[in-house]
């Protein structure tokens, strides 16, 4: 993979507080990478260093092979979209979008043409003469997007740009941005703490925790093959059960649970037989039946509660050693509390995680 | 409801308290008598004539305009620059520096006046327009600083960061973003500076020569010499000018603010 942006052992201190720690991250040209993590994990800080608003305490940031640590922001040629949009309140929508073009000395005629094109792109052609204060949140967001894209920057940085929008508009904008990314071949670094947003939009997701990247991979990888307990719990919902590895054969491990049950589970490198581990089982991968079926892994449990949630049925289970949650498709039958059931799942639907 | 009436009454009483001295003096501007007392024998504009045609008064008005304009320009530029400096995050003693800038507001004018006289004499600026303008600027700057600092505080820093990321060098960011957004504050600061200069007597007594007599200073001395109703006419002029400037500012401010209102998000 060609490295277009590269963070090389980046560390950032605010006073005594280490906010980003020895971080490596490479991003390819045309890639859409999300930085996902809880509040305070250093996502914004990393983005601000890339934009040049903050200086790294140590380490190098490379753009297209050249170190940019000492390049001032206005020469970095990166379009930034802030959560608060940060539109110029004293300029009209058209003037806002023309601003980066004026900064580049582009002549009036071409500026006008490109502003128009950018406005068309975000479907705001009729609002060119309004001021930001006369726009709705979603419209402002589109203006910010148009302004960050109109000068064809080398990289587009977005810091939770959709955070202030309601759910419906947010989902629409997610698709719009993704579509723009595909159409224009943009390189986008996108900060969010909304995991479904990250999974929907990105080519790759970098999961942040306390200033470090816990895992980076495609949405499928971080969801299906979480590398750490933190990733498993942060992305989606999961059942975590403690156990001990009894044997490893290729990509599969046999794990003994506290109540003696044996589970065969997918495993990645770095886990050895005899080790205490967590087993992560996604609730939607669990099937419930009253008879023991032919599945590879079957756990005997009892239903303690079941809640209808519209698109799925959420069933809480308990046996002598651990609770489990199962999410069943809406066509599933109801399970009354107290029913004894078998929870079944395949080896590929659960994952061994080193503690 | 009774609460509302009580509030309204109090507001009206306070206003009355504030304008009572004006109500007392203003009618005397139109008296035909030669002394500044009631009752008014008959109405006349003779004191306005005196104001515009008597040499001392006319010079005083012109001096006030010259010194007021100079002070406004100097104080606005310096005060705005200071406010911008105070905004810098890296600036260590920001809090105490800000207090220092406001010092001339609380230090007794007499103290400032003596200091100013000694200092200006040393630089040969005593009894000169430049000297008076400098003295007035010292007391006018705090008003500019307060007003501009307030306006700057209202600017979302990310708007300036955005401008940088879009390719604007720091100077351009200032010219195209920061200054236009702070303009309402700069404008009020300028008006306050002008008003301060117009009104200033004590410092003027210390540093101005006979050629720099301002309107306020002229009123002050004519009170001691002869209590002529020209003072009332001058006061009338003052108030009319103040109201006019105030109106212009309120109008242009609200226009600017409508233009620079931050977008709700
Ligand atoms: N200018 C600053 N001075 C001191 N500490 C700061 C500064 N900016 C951020 N921090 C601290 O750095 C840590 C990381 O902040 P950052 O803004 O990068 O988090 P984030 O991952 O973007 O979180 P969120 O999802 O809440 O936006 C936080 O603990 C924050 O308090
Ligand atoms: Mg953040």
């Amino acid at each position: 993979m060609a490295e277009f942006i590269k963070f090389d052992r980046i560390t950032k201190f605010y006073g005594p507080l280490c906010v980003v720690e020895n971080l490596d991250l490479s991003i390819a040209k045309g890639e859409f990478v999300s930085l996902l993590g809880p509040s305070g994990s250093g996502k914004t800080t990393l983005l601000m260093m890339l934009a040049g608003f903050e200086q790294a305490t140590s380490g190098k940031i490379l753009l297209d092979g050249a170190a940019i640590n000492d390049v001032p922001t206005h020469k970095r040629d990166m379009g930034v979209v802030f959560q608060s949009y940060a539109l110029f309140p004293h300029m009209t929508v058209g003037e806002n979008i023309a601003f980066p073009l004026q900064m580049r000395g582009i002549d009036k005629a071409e500026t006008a043409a490109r502003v128009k094109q950018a406005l068309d792109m975000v479907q705001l052609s009729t609002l060119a003469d309004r001021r930001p204060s006369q726009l709705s949140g979603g419209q402002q967001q589109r203006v910010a997007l148009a302004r960050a894209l109109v000068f064809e920057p080398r990289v587009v940085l977005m810091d939770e740009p959709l955070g202030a929008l309601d759910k419906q508009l947010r989902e629409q904008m997610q698709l719009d941005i993704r579509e723009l990314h595909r159409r224009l071949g943009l390189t986008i670094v996108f900060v969010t703490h909304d995991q479904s947003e990250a999974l929907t939009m990105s080519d790759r997701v970098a999961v942040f925790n306390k200033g470090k990247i816990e895992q980076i991979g495609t949405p499928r990888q971080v969801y299906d093959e979480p590398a750490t307990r933190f990733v498993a719990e942060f992305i989606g919902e999961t059942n975590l059960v403690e156990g001990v590895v009894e044997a490893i054969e290729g990509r599969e491990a046999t794990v003994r649970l506290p109540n003696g049950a044996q589970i065969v589970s997918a495993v990645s490198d770095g886990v050895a037989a005899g080790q205490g581990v967590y087993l992560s089982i996604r609730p939607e991968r669990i099937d419930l039946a009253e008879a023991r079926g032919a599945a590879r892994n079957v756990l005997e449990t009892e239903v303690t509660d079941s809640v209808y949630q519209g698109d799925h049925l959420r069933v809480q289970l308990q046996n002598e050693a651990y609770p489990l949650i199962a999410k069943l498709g809406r066509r599933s039958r109801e399970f009354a509390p107290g029913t004894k059931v078998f929870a079944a799942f395949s080896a590929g639907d659960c994952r061994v995680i080193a503690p | 409801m009774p609460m509302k009436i009580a509030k309204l009454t109090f507001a009206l009483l306070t206003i009355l308290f504030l304008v009572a001295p004006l109500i007392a003096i203003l009618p005397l501007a139109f008296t035909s008598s030669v002394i500044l007392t009631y009752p008014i024998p008959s109405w006349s504009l003779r004191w306005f004539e005196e104001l515009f045609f008597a040499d001392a008064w006319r010079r005083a008005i012109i001096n006030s305009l010259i010194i007021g304009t100079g002070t406004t320009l100097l104080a606005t530029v310096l005060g705005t620059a200071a406010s911008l400096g105070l905004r810098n995050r890296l600036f260590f003693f920001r809090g105490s520096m800000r207090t220092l800038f406001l010092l001339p507001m609380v230090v007794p004018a007499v103290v400032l006046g003596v200091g100013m006289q000694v200092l200006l004499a040393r630089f040969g600026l005593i009894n000169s327009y430049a000297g008076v303008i400098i003295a007035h600027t010292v007391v006018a700057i705090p008003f500019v600083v307060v007003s501009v600092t307030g306006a700057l505080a209202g600017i979302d820093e990310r708007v300036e960061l955005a401008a940088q990321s879009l390719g604007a060098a720091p100077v351009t960011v200032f010219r195209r973003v920061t200054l236009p957004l702070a303009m309402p504050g700069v404008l009020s600061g300028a008006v306050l500076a002008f008003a301060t200069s117009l009104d200033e007597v004590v410092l003027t007594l210390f540093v101005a020569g006979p050629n720099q007599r301002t309107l306020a200073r002229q009123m002050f001395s004519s009170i001691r010499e002869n209590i002529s109703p020209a003072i009332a006419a001058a006061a009338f002029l003052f108030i009319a000018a103040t109201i006019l400037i105030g109106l212009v500012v309120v109008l242009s401010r609200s226009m600017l603010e409508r233009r620079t209102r931050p977008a709700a998000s």
Side-chain angles (χ1 to χ4, degrees):
Chain A
M1 186 179 66
E3 287 169 346
F4 186 54
I5 303 168
K6 182 173 162 72
F7 293 92
D8 186 11
R9 279 171 291 141
I10 289 291
T11 298
K12 174 70 181 176
F13 278 90
Y14 281 119
L17 181 71
C18 184
V19 179
V20 174
E21 193 180 342
N22 211 12
L23 181 140
D24 287 316
L25 173 62
S26 294
I27 295 168
K29 194 164 189 134
E31 198 176 20
F32 191 131
V33 172
S34 286
L35 312 183
L36 172 68
S39 193
S41 56
K43 311 177 297 284
T44 297
T45 306
L46 194 72
L47 205 70
M48 293 297 116
M49 288 191 282
L50 185 53
F53 300 142
E54 293 286 353
Q55 282 291 317
T57 309
S58 70
K60 263 197 289 195
I61 303 176
L62 302 160
L63 181 64
D64 218 0
I68 56 168
N69 292 46
D70 297 327
V71 178
T73 299
H74 66 278
K75 292 187 180 150
R76 287 198 185 188
D77 201 25
M78 296 182 182
V80 183
V81 182
F82 293 85
Q83 174 167 9
S84 57
Y85 315 136
L87 298 176
F88 305 128
H90 57 303
M91 299 182 196
T92 64
V93 167
E95 288 163 351
N96 262 280
I97 299 175
F99 187 88
L101 301 175
Q102 289 162 357
M103 292 303 116
R104 284 163 178 73
I106 290 168
D107 69 57
K108 275 210 175 115
E110 193 186 339
T111 297
R114 281 170 71 172
V115 167
K116 187 177 173 308
Q117 199 185 354
L119 280 169
D120 286 343
M121 177 182 76
V122 293
Q123 294 153 29
L124 286 179
S125 320
T126 53
L127 302 183
D129 296 324
R130 294 246 194 119
R131 291 195 186 278
S133 57
Q134 300 165 320
L135 300 180
S136 73
Q139 291 166 336
Q140 289 177 48
Q141 208 283 337
R142 283 163 203 263
V143 176
L145 198 61
R147 189 180 66 173
L149 297 181
V150 70
F151 61 105
E152 293 168 10
R154 291 203 279 180
V155 186
V156 181
L157 312 180
M158 304 194 193
D159 191 1
E160 306 198 24
L162 310 180
L165 306 181
D166 63 42
K167 187 166 175 292
Q168 220 167 1
L169 193 53
R170 193 162 67 227
E171 284 169 0
Q172 181 58 46
M173 288 302 304
Q174 287 172 2
L175 297 178
D176 288 353
I177 293 175
R178 188 158 171 66
E179 158 69 16
L180 279 174
H181 166 248
R182 283 220 195 93
R183 192 145 50 88
L184 306 178
L186 300 166
T187 307
I188 298 183
V189 185
F190 187 98
V191 167
T192 178
H193 61 239
D194 177 340
Q195 42 116 352
S196 80
E197 187 165 285
L199 295 179
T200 313
M201 300 180 75
S202 332
D203 295 325
R204 283 192 304 154
V205 179
V207 184
F208 272 65
N209 184 25
K210 296 186 185 141
K212 291 185 182 162
I213 294 180
E214 292 256 338
Q215 185 176 4
I216 178 160
T218 62
R220 194 173 282 280
Q221 282 169 341
V222 291
Y223 189 81
D224 287 346
E225 303 161 21
T228 66
R229 179 179 174 177
F230 175 82
V231 175
E233 285 186 315
F234 190 74
I235 299 188
E237 193 181 13
T238 198
N239 294 293
L240 280 181
V241 183
E242 280 182 66
V244 176
V245 178
E246 295 211 310
I248 294 186
E249 257 177 64
R251 315 295 306 164
E252 284 186 354
T254 309
V255 179
R256 178 173 296 280
L257 301 187
N259 61 342
Q262 276 195 346
I263 298 292
V264 182
S265 162
V267 67
S268 34
D269 301 334
V271 177
Q275 197 177 355
V277 294
Y278 288 104
L279 206 57
S280 161
I281 313 160
R282 296 287 183 194
E284 72 277 10
R285 304 283 166 84
I286 296 179
D287 282 327
L288 296 186
E290 275 176 29
R292 177 181 287 271
R296 202 106 175 255
N297 298 311
V298 179
L299 298 170
E300 276 180 59
T301 61
E302 185 182 320
V303 175
T304 57
D305 195 8
S306 112
V307 183
Y308 177 69
Q309 299 207 314
D311 59 342
H312 70 269
L313 185 70
R314 187 186 169 85
V315 184
Q316 285 189 32
L317 307 162
Q318 178 76 48
N319 65 14
E320 62 274 25
Y322 42 81
L324 283 179
I325 288 170
K327 286 186 190 168
L328 306 176
R330 50 161 299 149
R331 278 163 215 230
S332 155
R333 46 165 294 211
E334 299 276 342
F335 290 91
T339 317
K340 298 248 185 269
V341 292
F342 294 96
F345 48 93
S346 74
D349 289 335
C350 57
R351 188 127 198 116
V352 171
I353 294 173
Chain B
M1 203 53 197
M3 195 57 199
K4 249 189 191 161
I5 292 171
K7 277 184 190 164
L8 202 67
T9 316
F10 269 113
L12 287 176
L13 282 176
T14 311
I15 292 175
L16 191 68
F17 177 71
L18 290 175
V19 299
L22 300 182
I23 296 172
I25 183 120
L26 286 185
L28 289 173
F30 300 94
T31 184
S32 60
S33 156
V34 289
I35 44 171
L36 190 68
T37 53
Y38 287 100
I40 293 168
S42 72
W43 302 101
S44 130
L45 290 176
R46 62 181 286 200
W47 296 112
F48 286 94
E49 265 166 53
E50 161 105 8
L51 215 55
F52 289 113
F53 297 111
D55 222 30
W57 285 106
R58 211 185 54 210
R59 287 224 47 153
I61 292 174
I62 293 171
N63 279 340
S64 268
L65 289 177
I66 294 174
I67 291 167
T69 309
T71 303
T72 305
L73 289 177
L74 196 59
T76 306
V77 170
L78 293 180
T80 303
S83 311
L84 287 168
L86 284 175
R87 204 171 169 229
N88 195 335
R89 241 198 301 167
L90 302 174
F91 208 48
F92 225 50
F93 305 103
R94 190 149 67 149
S96 31
M97 281 303 269
R98 181 165 301 145
T99 318
L100 272 183
F101 273 108
L102 303 186
L103 220 50
M105 261 175 164
V106 287
V107 172
V110 178
V111 177
L112 271 181
V114 175
M116 205 77 77
Q117 190 181 40
V118 173
L119 205 66
L120 290 178
R122 183 131 176 76
F123 291 105
L125 287 172
I126 207 87
N127 299 350
S128 71
Y129 281 107
V132 183
I133 289 175
I134 289 173
H136 283 192
T137 299
V138 169
V139 285
I141 279 183
F143 292 98
V144 180
V145 169
V146 167
S147 161
V148 177
T149 305
L152 288 174
I155 299 179
D156 179 358
E157 199 198 354
R158 280 162 298 191
V159 171
E160 292 167 284
L161 293 182
Q164 275 184 45
S165 74
L166 296 170
V171 181
T172 316
V173 175
F174 174 72
R175 198 169 48 79
R176 294 280 315 263
V177 179
T178 315
L179 192 57
L181 289 178
M183 216 31 159
V186 174
L187 211 66
S188 328
V191 169
L192 288 171
F194 188 77
T196 307
S197 167
L198 216 56
D199 195 36
E200 161 53 43
V201 174
V202 181
L203 288 176
T204 316
L205 279 174
F206 278 99
V207 301
N211 286 333
Q212 293 90 37
R213 271 193 177 206
T214 59
L215 194 52
R217 167 82 174 78
Q218 175 65 21
M219 286 169 76
F220 185 73
S221 54
S222 58
I223 282 237
R224 282 193 321 186
E225 290 152 17
N226 57 333
I227 312 185
S228 115
I231 295 166
F236 187 87
L237 211 63
F238 251 104
I239 290 162
T242 312
I243 290 176
L244 196 72
I245 296 174
L247 270 179
V248 169
V249 167
V250 167
L251 283 181
S252 57
R253 251 195 92 123
S254 77
M255 219 171 71
L256 271 178
E257 261 163 14
R258 203 166 321 122
R259 285 189 38 196
T260 60
R261 191 182 329 139
S265 62

PDB file of all heavy atoms in Angstrom, chain A residues 28 43-44 72 105 129 138-139 156 171 181 215 222 252 275 296 317 327 343:
ATOM      1  N   ALA A  28      -3.376   5.573   2.719  1.00  0.00           N
ATOM      2  CA  ALA A  28      -3.078   5.563   1.284  1.00  0.00           C
ATOM      3  C   ALA A  28      -3.841   6.673   0.575  1.00  0.00           C
ATOM      4  O   ALA A  28      -4.826   7.197   1.087  1.00  0.00           O
ATOM      5  CB  ALA A  28      -3.463   4.211   0.695  1.00  0.00           C
ATOM      6  N   LYS A  43      -8.287  11.705  19.290  1.00  0.00           N
ATOM      7  CA  LYS A  43      -8.602  11.742  17.854  1.00  0.00           C
ATOM      8  C   LYS A  43      -8.459  13.147  17.287  1.00  0.00           C
ATOM      9  O   LYS A  43      -7.778  13.365  16.281  1.00  0.00           O
ATOM     10  CB  LYS A  43     -10.050  11.257  17.619  1.00  0.00           C
ATOM     11  CG  LYS A  43     -10.384   9.967  18.313  1.00  0.00           C
ATOM     12  CD  LYS A  43     -11.833   9.584  18.111  1.00  0.00           C
ATOM     13  CE  LYS A  43     -12.825  10.557  18.702  1.00  0.00           C
ATOM     14  NZ  LYS A  43     -12.961  10.483  20.153  1.00  0.00           N
ATOM     15  N   THR A  44      -9.115  14.103  17.957  1.00  0.00           N
ATOM     16  CA  THR A  44      -9.047  15.487  17.485  1.00  0.00           C
ATOM     17  C   THR A  44      -7.609  15.978  17.494  1.00  0.00           C
ATOM     18  O   THR A  44      -7.154  16.627  16.555  1.00  0.00           O
ATOM     19  CB  THR A  44      -9.919  16.389  18.367  1.00  0.00           C
ATOM     20  OG1 THR A  44     -11.275  15.963  18.243  1.00  0.00           O
ATOM     21  CG2 THR A  44      -9.807  17.843  17.948  1.00  0.00           C
ATOM     22  N   PRO A  72       3.568  25.555   7.786  1.00  0.00           N
ATOM     23  CA  PRO A  72       2.424  26.183   8.444  1.00  0.00           C
ATOM     24  C   PRO A  72       1.102  25.756   7.793  1.00  0.00           C
ATOM     25  O   PRO A  72       1.070  25.370   6.621  1.00  0.00           O
ATOM     26  CB  PRO A  72       2.655  27.679   8.237  1.00  0.00           C
ATOM     27  CG  PRO A  72       3.591  27.778   7.079  1.00  0.00           C
ATOM     28  CD  PRO A  72       4.416  26.536   7.087  1.00  0.00           C
ATOM     29  N   GLY A 105      -5.309  32.854  -5.454  1.00  0.00           N
ATOM     30  CA  GLY A 105      -5.121  33.772  -6.566  1.00  0.00           C
ATOM     31  C   GLY A 105      -5.806  33.346  -7.850  1.00  0.00           C
ATOM     32  O   GLY A 105      -5.391  33.702  -8.948  1.00  0.00           O
ATOM     33  N   ASP A 129     -26.513  33.417  -1.779  1.00  0.00           N
ATOM     34  CA  ASP A 129     -26.445  34.770  -1.228  1.00  0.00           C
ATOM     35  C   ASP A 129     -26.895  34.858   0.222  1.00  0.00           C
ATOM     36  O   ASP A 129     -26.936  35.946   0.794  1.00  0.00           O
ATOM     37  CB  ASP A 129     -27.292  35.719  -2.085  1.00  0.00           C
ATOM     38  CG  ASP A 129     -26.721  35.823  -3.487  1.00  0.00           C
ATOM     39  OD1 ASP A 129     -25.477  35.789  -3.602  1.00  0.00           O
ATOM     40  OD2 ASP A 129     -27.501  35.902  -4.451  1.00  0.00           O
ATOM     41  N   GLY A 138     -27.963  21.397   8.775  1.00  0.00           N
ATOM     42  CA  GLY A 138     -27.570  20.527   7.673  1.00  0.00           C
ATOM     43  C   GLY A 138     -27.046  21.318   6.488  1.00  0.00           C
ATOM     44  O   GLY A 138     -26.076  20.919   5.836  1.00  0.00           O
ATOM     45  N   GLN A 139     -27.684  22.472   6.230  1.00  0.00           N
ATOM     46  CA  GLN A 139     -27.222  23.309   5.121  1.00  0.00           C
ATOM     47  C   GLN A 139     -25.843  23.889   5.417  1.00  0.00           C
ATOM     48  O   GLN A 139     -24.969  23.926   4.554  1.00  0.00           O
ATOM     49  CB  GLN A 139     -28.232  24.431   4.865  1.00  0.00           C
ATOM     50  CG  GLN A 139     -29.537  23.912   4.286  1.00  0.00           C
ATOM     51  CD  GLN A 139     -30.655  24.938   4.335  1.00  0.00           C
ATOM     52  OE1 GLN A 139     -30.637  25.853   5.157  1.00  0.00           O
ATOM     53  NE2 GLN A 139     -31.631  24.775   3.466  1.00  0.00           N
ATOM     54  N   VAL A 156      -8.683  15.750   2.922  1.00  0.00           N
ATOM     55  CA  VAL A 156      -9.814  16.379   3.603  1.00  0.00           C
ATOM     56  C   VAL A 156      -9.899  15.815   5.016  1.00  0.00           C
ATOM     57  O   VAL A 156      -9.888  14.597   5.210  1.00  0.00           O
ATOM     58  CB  VAL A 156     -11.142  16.119   2.859  1.00  0.00           C
ATOM     59  CG1 VAL A 156     -12.288  16.809   3.577  1.00  0.00           C
ATOM     60  CG2 VAL A 156     -11.040  16.597   1.426  1.00  0.00           C
ATOM     61  N   GLU A 171     -27.582  10.364   8.601  1.00  0.00           N
ATOM     62  CA  GLU A 171     -27.423   9.186   7.753  1.00  0.00           C
ATOM     63  C   GLU A 171     -27.395   9.578   6.282  1.00  0.00           C
ATOM     64  O   GLU A 171     -26.639   9.020   5.491  1.00  0.00           O
ATOM     65  CB  GLU A 171     -28.538   8.182   8.061  1.00  0.00           C
ATOM     66  CG  GLU A 171     -28.239   7.471   9.371  1.00  0.00           C
ATOM     67  CD  GLU A 171     -29.401   6.657   9.903  1.00  0.00           C
ATOM     68  OE1 GLU A 171     -30.466   6.634   9.254  1.00  0.00           O
ATOM     69  OE2 GLU A 171     -29.228   6.057  10.978  1.00  0.00           O
ATOM     70  N   HIS A 181     -16.649  10.984  -1.843  1.00  0.00           N
ATOM     71  CA  HIS A 181     -15.335  10.362  -1.707  1.00  0.00           C
ATOM     72  C   HIS A 181     -15.045   9.445  -2.892  1.00  0.00           C
ATOM     73  O   HIS A 181     -13.994   9.504  -3.503  1.00  0.00           O
ATOM     74  CB  HIS A 181     -15.279   9.582  -0.394  1.00  0.00           C
ATOM     75  CG  HIS A 181     -14.125   8.643  -0.313  1.00  0.00           C
ATOM     76  ND1 HIS A 181     -14.286   7.276  -0.322  1.00  0.00           N
ATOM     77  CD2 HIS A 181     -12.796   8.875  -0.254  1.00  0.00           C
ATOM     78  CE1 HIS A 181     -13.098   6.699  -0.270  1.00  0.00           C
ATOM     79  NE2 HIS A 181     -12.179   7.642  -0.218  1.00  0.00           N
ATOM     80  N   GLN A 215      -6.537  -0.954  17.266  1.00  0.00           N
ATOM     81  CA  GLN A 215      -6.621  -1.816  16.090  1.00  0.00           C
ATOM     82  C   GLN A 215      -6.959  -0.955  14.884  1.00  0.00           C
ATOM     83  O   GLN A 215      -7.699   0.017  14.991  1.00  0.00           O
ATOM     84  CB  GLN A 215      -7.732  -2.866  16.280  1.00  0.00           C
ATOM     85  CG  GLN A 215      -7.787  -3.877  15.151  1.00  0.00           C
ATOM     86  CD  GLN A 215      -8.823  -4.973  15.394  1.00  0.00           C
ATOM     87  OE1 GLN A 215      -9.548  -4.942  16.370  1.00  0.00           O
ATOM     88  NE2 GLN A 215      -8.869  -5.941  14.496  1.00  0.00           N
ATOM     89  N   VAL A 222     -12.516  -5.022  12.051  1.00  0.00           N
ATOM     90  CA  VAL A 222     -12.608  -4.567  13.440  1.00  0.00           C
ATOM     91  C   VAL A 222     -13.879  -5.085  14.104  1.00  0.00           C
ATOM     92  O   VAL A 222     -13.922  -5.262  15.320  1.00  0.00           O
ATOM     93  CB  VAL A 222     -12.540  -3.021  13.572  1.00  0.00           C
ATOM     94  CG1 VAL A 222     -11.156  -2.512  13.218  1.00  0.00           C
ATOM     95  CG2 VAL A 222     -13.615  -2.337  12.769  1.00  0.00           C
ATOM     96  N   GLU A 252      -8.039 -22.107  14.835  1.00  0.00           N
ATOM     97  CA  GLU A 252      -9.109 -22.404  15.789  1.00  0.00           C
ATOM     98  C   GLU A 252      -8.547 -22.799  17.146  1.00  0.00           C
ATOM     99  O   GLU A 252      -7.531 -23.481  17.229  1.00  0.00           O
ATOM    100  CB  GLU A 252      -9.998 -23.529  15.249  1.00  0.00           C
ATOM    101  CG  GLU A 252     -10.934 -23.045  14.160  1.00  0.00           C
ATOM    102  CD  GLU A 252     -11.906 -24.130  13.729  1.00  0.00           C
ATOM    103  OE1 GLU A 252     -11.772 -25.278  14.205  1.00  0.00           O
ATOM    104  OE2 GLU A 252     -12.802 -23.810  12.923  1.00  0.00           O
ATOM    105  N   GLN A 275      -3.507 -20.450  28.281  1.00  0.00           N
ATOM    106  CA  GLN A 275      -3.667 -19.033  28.614  1.00  0.00           C
ATOM    107  C   GLN A 275      -5.126 -18.727  29.001  1.00  0.00           C
ATOM    108  O   GLN A 275      -6.063 -19.296  28.447  1.00  0.00           O
ATOM    109  CB  GLN A 275      -3.288 -18.205  27.378  1.00  0.00           C
ATOM    110  CG  GLN A 275      -3.021 -16.756  27.677  1.00  0.00           C
ATOM    111  CD  GLN A 275      -2.574 -16.028  26.409  1.00  0.00           C
ATOM    112  OE1 GLN A 275      -2.380 -16.630  25.351  1.00  0.00           O
ATOM    113  NE2 GLN A 275      -2.406 -14.736  26.536  1.00  0.00           N
ATOM    114  N   ARG A 296     -21.697 -26.408  16.204  1.00  0.00           N
ATOM    115  CA  ARG A 296     -20.411 -26.769  16.778  1.00  0.00           C
ATOM    116  C   ARG A 296     -20.375 -26.396  18.266  1.00  0.00           C
ATOM    117  O   ARG A 296     -19.902 -27.141  19.099  1.00  0.00           O
ATOM    118  CB  ARG A 296     -19.376 -25.944  16.022  1.00  0.00           C
ATOM    119  CG  ARG A 296     -18.009 -26.485  16.064  1.00  0.00           C
ATOM    120  CD  ARG A 296     -17.552 -27.128  14.794  1.00  0.00           C
ATOM    121  NE  ARG A 296     -16.164 -27.468  14.999  1.00  0.00           N
ATOM    122  CZ  ARG A 296     -15.159 -26.798  14.464  1.00  0.00           C
ATOM    123  NH1 ARG A 296     -15.397 -25.811  13.660  1.00  0.00           N
ATOM    124  NH2 ARG A 296     -13.927 -27.150  14.730  1.00  0.00           N
ATOM    125  N   LEU A 317     -30.009 -14.222  28.709  1.00  0.00           N
ATOM    126  CA  LEU A 317     -29.851 -15.615  29.113  1.00  0.00           C
ATOM    127  C   LEU A 317     -28.910 -15.686  30.297  1.00  0.00           C
ATOM    128  O   LEU A 317     -28.090 -14.802  30.507  1.00  0.00           O
ATOM    129  CB  LEU A 317     -29.243 -16.423  27.961  1.00  0.00           C
ATOM    130  CG  LEU A 317     -29.957 -16.313  26.618  1.00  0.00           C
ATOM    131  CD1 LEU A 317     -29.048 -16.765  25.491  1.00  0.00           C
ATOM    132  CD2 LEU A 317     -31.233 -17.135  26.657  1.00  0.00           C
ATOM    133  N   LYS A 327     -29.473 -11.574  20.204  1.00  0.00           N
ATOM    134  CA  LYS A 327     -30.397 -10.759  19.411  1.00  0.00           C
ATOM    135  C   LYS A 327     -30.923 -11.639  18.295  1.00  0.00           C
ATOM    136  O   LYS A 327     -30.153 -12.137  17.478  1.00  0.00           O
ATOM    137  CB  LYS A 327     -29.670  -9.560  18.810  1.00  0.00           C
ATOM    138  CG  LYS A 327     -29.339  -8.461  19.784  1.00  0.00           C
ATOM    139  CD  LYS A 327     -28.750  -7.301  18.995  1.00  0.00           C
ATOM    140  CE  LYS A 327     -28.172  -6.249  19.918  1.00  0.00           C
ATOM    141  NZ  LYS A 327     -27.365  -5.283  19.154  1.00  0.00           N
ATOM    142  N   ALA A 343     -28.154 -22.255  23.390  1.00  0.00           N
ATOM    143  CA  ALA A 343     -27.615 -21.159  22.596  1.00  0.00           C
ATOM    144  C   ALA A 343     -26.531 -21.726  21.694  1.00  0.00           C
ATOM    145  O   ALA A 343     -25.557 -22.298  22.168  1.00  0.00           O
ATOM    146  CB  ALA A 343     -27.029 -20.084  23.496  1.00  0.00           C
TER     147      ALA A 343
END
